[in-house]
């Protein structure tokens, strides 16, 4: 019996040591020598403090920063819950959004939807648009737009809210990535935001656009992928060169 068991046991121990110990250590050592930055997570530092990674996106929502694309990872850019919306192009939820009841029985946004994203994108960046209904009707007691009311209006079967931008909108401005953690946006998306960022920081639009051009990365090897801008790097450069007003 042992004559049959021992060869298999030896092979198992040998392969465990080779593939479970030697190979990982060898690959880790080679990576640290050849690609030390990438092997350690492509970390980005501000001074001595690690503020993020080149390959994992972060959310920015203040007007003085360039915003990333929408994210379905957790509550947005949650690195522990990477994933996309998994909704098809004909999905009513993807287009119009949905609402739900929270623990306190209040209606809240469940999924914002592309229509709501387009609306906020136009308003945030002062882009021209047409609306079938005055947007003042959807404001709350504080004078802010109520996203729940807007989503209900977009889903109204009899008289849905029709909101039409009168300027081109980059696709990545209103759609999320498959991972929900895309650290990049397109140069077009960045340039549209330049006017808003410049106004919030008290600088010229040309200065913001020059920074966008400076941080625009070309396709890998000159042909793989599209030109792109790393949002975190761009916003860090903004803070360094043009600090926000306080």
């Amino acid at each position: 019996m042992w004559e049959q068991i021992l060869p298999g046991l030896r092979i198992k121990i040998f392969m465990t040591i080779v593939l479970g110990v030697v190979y990982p250590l060898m690959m880790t050592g080679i990576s640290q020598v050849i690609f030390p930055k990438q092997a350690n997570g492509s970390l980005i530092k501000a001074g001595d403090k690690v503020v993020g990674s080149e390959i994992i996106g972060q959310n920015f929502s203040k007007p003085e920063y360039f915003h990333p694309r929408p994210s379905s990872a957790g509550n947005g850019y949650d690195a522990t819950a990477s994933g996309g919306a998994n909704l098809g192009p004909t999905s009513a939820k993807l287009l119009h959004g949905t609402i739900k009841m929270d623990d306190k029985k209040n209606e809240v946004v469940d999924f914002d939807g592309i229509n709501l994203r387009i609306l906020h994108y136009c308003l945030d960046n002062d882009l021209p648009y047409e609306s079938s209904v005055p947007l003042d009707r959807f404001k709350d007691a504080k004078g802010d737009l109520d996203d729940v009311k807007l989503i209900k209006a977009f889903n109204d079967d009899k008289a849905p809210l029709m909101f039409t931008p009168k300027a081109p909108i980059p696709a990545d401005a209103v759609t999320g990535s498959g991972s929900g953690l895309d650290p990049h946006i397109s140069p077009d998306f960045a340039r549209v935001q330049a006017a808003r960022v410049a106004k919030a920081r008290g600088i010229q639009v040309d200065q913001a656009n020059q920074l966008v051009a400076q941080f625009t990365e070309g396709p890998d090897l000159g042909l793989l992928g599209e030109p792109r801008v790393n949002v975190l790097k761009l916003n860090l450069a903004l803070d360094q060169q043009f600090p926000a007003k306080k």
Side-chain angles (χ1 to χ4, degrees):
M1 182 181 69
W2 283 107
E3 292 179 355
Q4 297 175 337
I5 294 176
L6 287 177
L9 187 60
R10 292 190 190 101
I11 292 175
K12 180 178 180 180
I13 294 173
F14 174 77
M15 296 303 291
T16 299
I17 293 173
V18 171
L19 299 180
V21 180
V22 177
Y23 178 76
L25 288 176
M26 183 175 67
M27 289 298 100
T28 300
I30 292 173
S31 299
Q32 290 292 340
V33 172
I34 301 177
F35 309 109
K37 182 177 180 181
Q38 292 86 339
N40 289 299
S42 300
L43 301 178
I44 298 176
K45 292 184 177 181
D48 295 328
K49 182 181 179 181
V50 175
V51 295
S53 169
E54 294 181 11
I55 56 177
I56 299 178
Q58 297 184 29
N59 195 26
F60 291 88
S61 58
K62 294 182 179 179
E64 62 264 29
Y65 288 107
F66 287 90
H67 298 172
R69 62 191 304 180
S71 169
S72 295
N75 291 323
Y77 287 93
D78 182 352
T80 66
S82 175
N86 293 325
L87 299 173
T90 60
S91 167
K93 179 178 180 178
L94 177 65
L95 296 175
H96 308 312
T98 55
I99 59 176
K100 64 180 181 180
M101 303 295 289
D102 65 10
D103 296 337
K104 297 180 180 180
K105 305 301 180 182
N106 296 317
E107 291 182 323
V108 296
V109 175
D110 176 37
F111 184 82
D112 51 1
I114 289 180
N115 286 335
L116 186 63
R117 294 172 184 173
I118 290 174
L119 185 150
H120 282 297
Y121 180 81
C122 289
L123 296 181
D124 290 346
N125 296 290
D126 293 326
L127 297 181
Y129 63 86
E130 290 182 353
S131 177
S132 60
V133 178
L135 296 183
D136 286 343
R137 296 188 184 182
F138 305 102
K139 290 185 176 180
D140 57 22
K142 297 180 180 179
D144 300 321
L145 284 174
D146 188 325
D147 287 347
V148 170
K149 292 180 180 178
L150 287 166
I151 289 175
K152 285 184 175 180
F154 283 128
N155 282 286
D156 190 325
D157 292 331
K158 296 181 179 179
L161 172 63
M162 303 299 294
F163 186 92
T164 307
K166 299 178 71 176
I169 293 182
D172 59 325
V174 293
T175 57
S177 66
S179 68
L181 302 174
D182 191 347
H184 299 99
I185 58 176
S186 66
D188 287 341
F189 184 14
R191 283 190 287 266
V192 172
Q193 300 184 69
R196 184 199 74 240
V197 172
K199 181 179 179 181
R201 290 181 180 262
I203 62 176
Q204 299 296 317
V205 177
D206 286 344
Q207 291 176 295
N209 278 324
Q210 288 172 6
L211 211 55
V212 170
Q214 179 183 339
F215 282 88
T216 298
E217 306 169 15
D220 293 333
L221 302 177
L223 51 88
L224 299 176
E226 298 289 334
R228 56 198 181 274
V229 181
N230 188 290
V231 179
L232 178 57
K233 287 183 176 180
L234 179 59
N235 284 331
L236 287 174
L238 268 175
D239 283 341
Q240 291 173 358
Q241 297 185 34
F242 311 109
K245 297 178 179 178
K246 295 183 179 180

